[in-house]
Amino acid sequence: MALLPVTTNRVSTPLTNQRLLYQLNNDQLAIQRQYDQLSTGRRVLRMSDDPAAASRAIGYQRSISYSEQLIRNANLTEAFYQSTDVVLNRVDNALIEARGVAVEAAQSVLSEDQREALAMTIRQNMEAVVSAGNGMFNDHQLLGGVLENESALQYVNDTVLFSGTSAIGQTKVGDGSPETFTVTGATAIGVGGTFQTGDALNAAVDEDTRLVDLRQGIGVSPGIITLSDGDNHVELDLQNAATIGDVVDVLRTVELGGRPLGISLGSDSISIQYADSLPGTLAVIDAEGSTLAQDLGISNPLGYRSPPIVGDRLSPRVTSSTKISDLGDGAGLDLTNGIVVQRGNESFTIDFDGAETIGDVLIAINRSDAGVHATLDEIEGHIDLSGLYSGVDYSIGENGGIAATELGIRTADAETLLSDLARGRGVSLNPNGADVVITRPDGVELELELEGAETIQDVMDLIVNHPNNQDTLRVRVSLNSVGNGLELTAPTGAGPIRVTQPGVSDAGVYLGWIEEGQSEATSQVNVGASTLTGQDYRPREAGGAVDTLLRLEKAVREGDIPEISRLQTQLDSDLDISSRTRGRVGVWTQSLAETKAAMEDENVLLQAQMSDELDADLASVISELGARQAALEASMRFIGQTSNLTVLNYL
C-alpha cells in the first residue's frame, strides 16, 4: 500500500502524471478486491490469487462432488429399499392370511359353499402377491428385474406367467464399490426359480480350451518355462498363450539334443515325452515368477520324473462356448432326437439341429414356447431349468433318443427316489402283502412288495427279476421313450396287462400306471404286444408363492385334504423366503443409513477443508479495506496538489 516515492530530480510533467495515475489505479484495484472478498466471502477468486491454495481447493472440490454423488445414490437406494419393504410386507400379509385359510380348509366338515368362499379368499391373496410382484419404483420393477418397466407377472388362462428377468442393479455408495440394491422375483417370492438342477456335463480338454477355463475356472497363468535334457536348454515364452492348443503348438517345435518332443492331450490331461517314446531326462522348469508348468501339472525342475510327464486334473469348466463334442468327458453328447417339455397339458418338442456348443442348446430351449428358461452354472458345470408359468406341472423327457439324459436334465429317470414321489410325500405301502400286482396277458400275477426299494430302478429290477417273470411271455419294463414314465410291454395273450394296488397301497398311482382316483389300469393291445404306458411319476412344480397359492386354491375348492396339508408346509417355506428377503432388505437399509451418515460427515469435513483454503477472514478484509481507502484518499490528495503546480513553484 506504500505510495510511489516523490521524485526529487526534474522529470517531465507527462511522466509525473503517468506515475500518479498508476498509483491511483493500483489503489482502486486493491479496494475492488476487498469488496469482492466481502461480497463473496472468498479469499481466493482465481488461480493467480494463491496458486497453491487454489490447487488444493480443486482437489477438495472434486472429492466433494464425488461425495455428493454418492449421497444422492444413497438417497435413491434408500427410497428403493423402502418401496421394496412395502411390497414384501404385502406379500407377507397375503401369505399369512392364506396360511390361516389353509388351516381352516383342512377340515373335512366344510360345505361346498364354504370351500368356495375359502378358495376365493385364497384367490384374493394370490392376486395381492401378483400385484406386489408387479410393484414399481421410478418406472422400474422392484422384483421383476432392474431396468424392466413392464409388468413382470401376467395372467395367462389359469396360470401366471413370469416375464421379468433375474437382472440385478448395482450402485456406488460408501467407498465407491459397486453394491447390489435390488432383489429378484426368484429370491423374494420364488417366481422364475429353478425346478430342475441338471447333472454335471463334464467337459474334456481340447486344443481350443482356454487357459482361464482350466482347473474349474481357477485358470492357468501364461508364463515362461525352460525345457532341458540335462545338456541342452530351451526357453519358451508362453506369456501370450490363450489356449492349451497355443501351449501345445509351441512345445511341438522343441528339439532337445536332436530329439523332438511328442505332445498329446487327454480328456483331462496333457502329456509330454520324446517323440521316439524312448527314455531320457526331461526337465520342465518354471521361470522366476511363472507358474505355468506347475498349474499344468508338468513341472519337473530336477528331471526326476521320467517321460512321459503327465499333467492331469486340468478339469476345464463348462462355458456357453464349450463344444458339445467335448462334453461327456470327451465322448460328446447325442442330441439327435431332441427333448420333450410337458407343461401342464401342453407338449413342446425342442430339437438341437445345428447346435455346436452348449450355448446353442440354451438358446434353443429359451427360444421355444415351452415357458422354460435354461441357464448354465459354470461353477458346477450343469444346466439349471426354471419354470416361467406358475400353477402347472413341468416335465422334461426324451423324444425317442437320449438327449435329455445326456444333458442331465431329464426330470424323471431310473435314479428317482421313491420318497420323492407323490410330490415329496412318498408312496403308501400295503402292510398286509403286495403293494403292486402286475397281471401278465397270460394271467400270471407278479406280486411286488416295495419294502426296501429306494429308487425307480429298484422297482424295475423287482419286475425283471421276479421268479414268475422269467419265460418268453415275460413283462418287460423300461422308461418311456417319449416323455417320462414307466412302460410295461408283453406279448399278447388272453387278456391285457393289468396293474392293481392292493389294500391301502397307492404305489400304482404314484408310479404313474394307475390314474388318480382309480384302483387299476389295463394296457392297450397292439399287433403282437400289449403295452401299458405310464404317466410321469415325478412332475415338477414351478415353485414360489404364486404357484403355491394357485395350487392351494384348487385343492381347497376340491377338498383335497392331503394336498392342502402339503401346501401348508410349502406356504410356510414361501413365507420364510419372503420374510428372509425382507429382513435382508432391512439390514441393507440400516447399513446404508450408517454409510450415508458417514458420507455426510466426510462431506462436511471436506467442505471445511476447502473453506480453510478459499474463504476470507472478514475481520482482516474489513481492516485492510479501511487501510486501502485511506491510501486511496492520500493518493487522490497528492494528485490534486501536484496537478496545481506551476512554473512559479520552481522559482
Side-chain angles (χ1 to χ4, degrees):
M1 291 187 297
L3 299 175
L4 290 175
V6 179
T7 57
T8 56
N9 58 326
R10 290 183 178 273
V11 295
S12 66
T13 298
L15 179 58
T16 300
N17 291 337
Q18 182 181 2
R19 291 171 61 85
L20 292 173
L21 290 174
Y22 179 78
Q23 176 68 52
L24 182 62
N25 185 58
N26 280 344
D27 290 337
Q28 290 175 330
L29 289 175
I31 290 175
Q32 184 61 48
R33 280 196 294 272
Q34 303 306 311
Y35 281 134
D36 290 343
Q37 291 182 15
L38 283 174
S39 62
T40 63
R42 291 293 178 89
R43 176 181 65 85
V44 180
L45 299 173
R46 56 189 64 84
M47 289 291 294
S48 58
D49 292 342
D50 189 338
S55 178
R56 290 192 295 270
I58 290 173
Y60 289 135
Q61 182 61 54
R62 187 182 299 112
S63 298
I64 290 170
S65 297
Y66 185 66
S67 176
E68 289 174 344
Q69 181 60 57
L70 294 180
I71 292 173
R72 287 193 293 271
N73 291 350
N75 289 332
L76 284 173
T77 302
E78 186 176 31
F80 195 95
Y81 288 163
Q82 291 171 351
S83 298
T84 303
D85 181 72
V86 170
V87 162
L88 294 177
N89 180 53
R90 291 164 58 192
V91 172
D92 286 354
N93 291 337
L95 294 179
I96 291 171
E97 183 176 352
R99 181 67 169 80
V101 173
V103 172
E104 184 177 355
Q107 304 177 49
S108 58
V109 295
L110 298 177
S111 67
E112 185 175 340
D113 289 342
Q114 288 174 318
R115 292 195 178 282
E116 182 63 27
L118 293 176
M120 291 304 297
T121 302
I122 297 294
R123 165 64 63 164
Q124 292 173 357
N125 296 143
M126 188 272 296
E127 290 176 348
V129 173
V130 170
S131 176
N134 286 329
M136 306 283 287
F137 176 80
N138 285 352
D139 296 328
H140 295 294
Q141 284 284 332
L142 290 168
L143 305 180
V146 68
L147 301 180
E148 295 292 322
N149 54 19
E150 300 292 335
S151 295
L153 297 171
Q154 303 170 11
Y155 293 100
V156 179
N157 298 326
D158 294 329
T159 67
V160 174
L161 170 64
F162 176 67
S163 57
T165 69
S166 59
I168 59 175
Q170 291 187 325
T171 188
K172 290 184 178 181
V173 295
D175 61 358
S177 301
E179 294 185 10
T180 299
F181 70 93
T182 62
V183 295
T184 65
T187 58
I189 57 176
V191 291
T194 300
F195 72 78
Q196 172 69 1
T197 299
D199 299 328
L201 295 171
N202 299 326
V205 174
D206 73 0
E207 294 196 358
D208 293 326
T209 302
R210 300 185 305 172
L211 295 179
V212 295
D213 292 330
L214 296 176
R215 301 166 69 207
Q216 291 293 339
I218 296 175
V220 169
S221 300
I224 300 174
I225 61 175
T226 299
L227 286 84
S228 173
D229 62 358
D231 298 320
N232 305 284
H233 297 76
V234 176
E235 184 176 88
L236 304 177
D237 186 350
L238 294 166
Q239 296 180 90
N240 295 322
T243 67
I244 190 69
D246 295 338
V247 176
V248 169
D249 289 342
V250 174
L251 289 174
R252 284 173 176 162
T253 65
V254 175
E255 289 189 7
L256 294 173
R259 300 175 69 189
L261 296 182
I263 316 297
S264 61
L265 291 176
S267 63
D268 196 36
S269 64
I270 180 173
S271 176
I272 304 177
Q273 62 182 347
Y274 289 106
D276 55 20
S277 300
L278 297 176
T281 300
L282 181 56
V284 184
I285 309 162
D286 273 313
E288 184 176 356
S290 173
T291 60
L292 176 61
Q294 179 180 338
D295 292 345
L296 289 175
I298 57 174
S299 178
N300 189 28
L302 300 178
Y304 290 158
R305 293 166 61 186
S306 300
I309 301 171
V310 179
D312 57 4
R313 299 181 184 179
L314 297 182
S315 305
R317 66 175 178 174
V318 180
T319 69
S320 58
S321 60
T322 300
K323 291 181 288 188
I324 294 173
S325 58
D326 288 337
L327 298 175
D329 292 321
L333 305 183
D334 181 3
L335 308 182
T336 305
N337 295 82
I339 63 175
V340 171
V341 177
Q342 189 77 24
R343 189 189 77 217
N345 296 324
E346 298 182 83
S347 182
F348 304 87
T349 300
I350 302 175
D351 64 65
F352 303 116
D353 292 343
E356 296 182 354
T357 67
I358 196 64
D360 296 334
V361 172
L362 300 180
I363 291 172
I365 296 175
N366 294 335
R367 288 183 177 177
S368 72
D369 296 325
V372 174
H373 183 70
T375 56
L376 179 65
D377 186 331
E378 294 189 356
I379 297 176
E380 300 295 334
H382 58 69
I383 295 174
D384 291 333
L385 299 178
S386 303
L388 303 182
Y389 285 83
S390 296
V392 294
D393 291 334
Y394 281 92
S395 174
I396 312 297
E398 302 293 0
N399 187 40
I402 57 173
T405 302
E406 293 275 84
L407 290 170
I409 57 175
R410 189 169 190 176
T411 53
D413 57 20
E415 302 305 317
T416 300
L417 298 175
L418 297 185
S419 58
D420 289 335
L421 303 186
R423 301 189 186 277
R425 297 193 298 267
V427 297
S428 298
L429 302 181
N430 180 20
N432 300 317
D435 302 299
V436 176
V437 176
I438 301 174
T439 303
R440 303 190 329 182
D442 61 353
V444 175
E445 292 186 348
L446 310 178
E447 295 185 352
L448 306 178
E449 294 187 9
L450 304 185
E451 184 71 33
E454 297 183 352
T455 67
I456 293 295
Q457 184 63 58
D458 293 338
V459 176
M460 297 170 70
D461 291 341
L462 287 174
I463 297 172
V464 171
N465 299 324
H466 196 284
N468 295 336
N469 196 37
Q470 303 302 312
D471 54 17
T472 58
L473 299 179
R474 63 183 177 273
V475 172
R476 302 177 185 272
V477 60
S478 62
L479 298 177
N480 290 350
S481 60
V482 176
N484 285 322
L486 287 172
E487 184 176 80
L488 300 175
T489 59
T492 55
I497 299 174
R498 190 162 63 94
V499 177
T500 58
Q501 47 186 23
V504 298
S505 173
D506 57 11
V509 170
Y510 293 116
L511 286 170
W513 289 317
I514 302 174
E515 289 188 11
E516 197 163 357
Q518 303 296 318
S519 60
E520 67 175 49
T522 57
S523 67
Q524 294 181 345
V525 179
N526 301 314
V527 178
S530 293
T531 303
L532 177 59
T533 302
Q535 302 298 313
D536 189 353
Y537 46 80
R538 197 191 176 195
R540 303 300 177 87
E541 300 175 353
V546 176
D547 184 76
T548 302
L549 292 173
L550 285 169
R551 294 176 186 276
L552 182 60
E553 178 190 359
K554 179 181 178 182
V556 169
R557 186 171 280 114
E558 295 176 350
D560 188 344
I561 305 301
E563 179 69 355
I564 293 174
S565 299
R566 182 185 75 87
L567 293 173
Q568 286 180 16
T569 303
Q570 188 59 47
L571 270 179
D572 292 339
S573 177
D574 294 332
L575 179 59
D576 183 63
I577 291 173
S578 175
S579 298
R580 285 177 180 273
T581 303
R582 188 181 178 196
R584 188 162 65 250
V585 172
V587 171
W588 290 351
T589 303
Q590 182 178 4
S591 176
L592 180 65
E594 296 173 354
T595 300
K596 189 174 79 168
M599 289 189 297
E600 290 172 341
D601 291 343
E602 181 182 2
N603 186 266
V604 170
L605 178 61
L606 290 170
Q607 294 277 9
Q609 291 173 327
M610 188 174 72
S611 176
D612 292 340
E613 298 292 346
L614 299 182
D615 289 355
D617 183 348
L618 294 183
S620 299
V621 171
I622 293 172
S623 175
E624 188 173 352
L625 177 61
R628 289 288 184 184
Q629 288 174 332
L632 177 61
E633 183 179 354
S635 296
M636 295 178 68
R637 187 178 297 111
F638 182 73
I639 292 172
Q641 292 174 354
T642 57
S643 63
N644 292 326
L645 292 176
T646 65
V647 70
L648 297 175
N649 294 99
Y650 295 96
L651 295 178

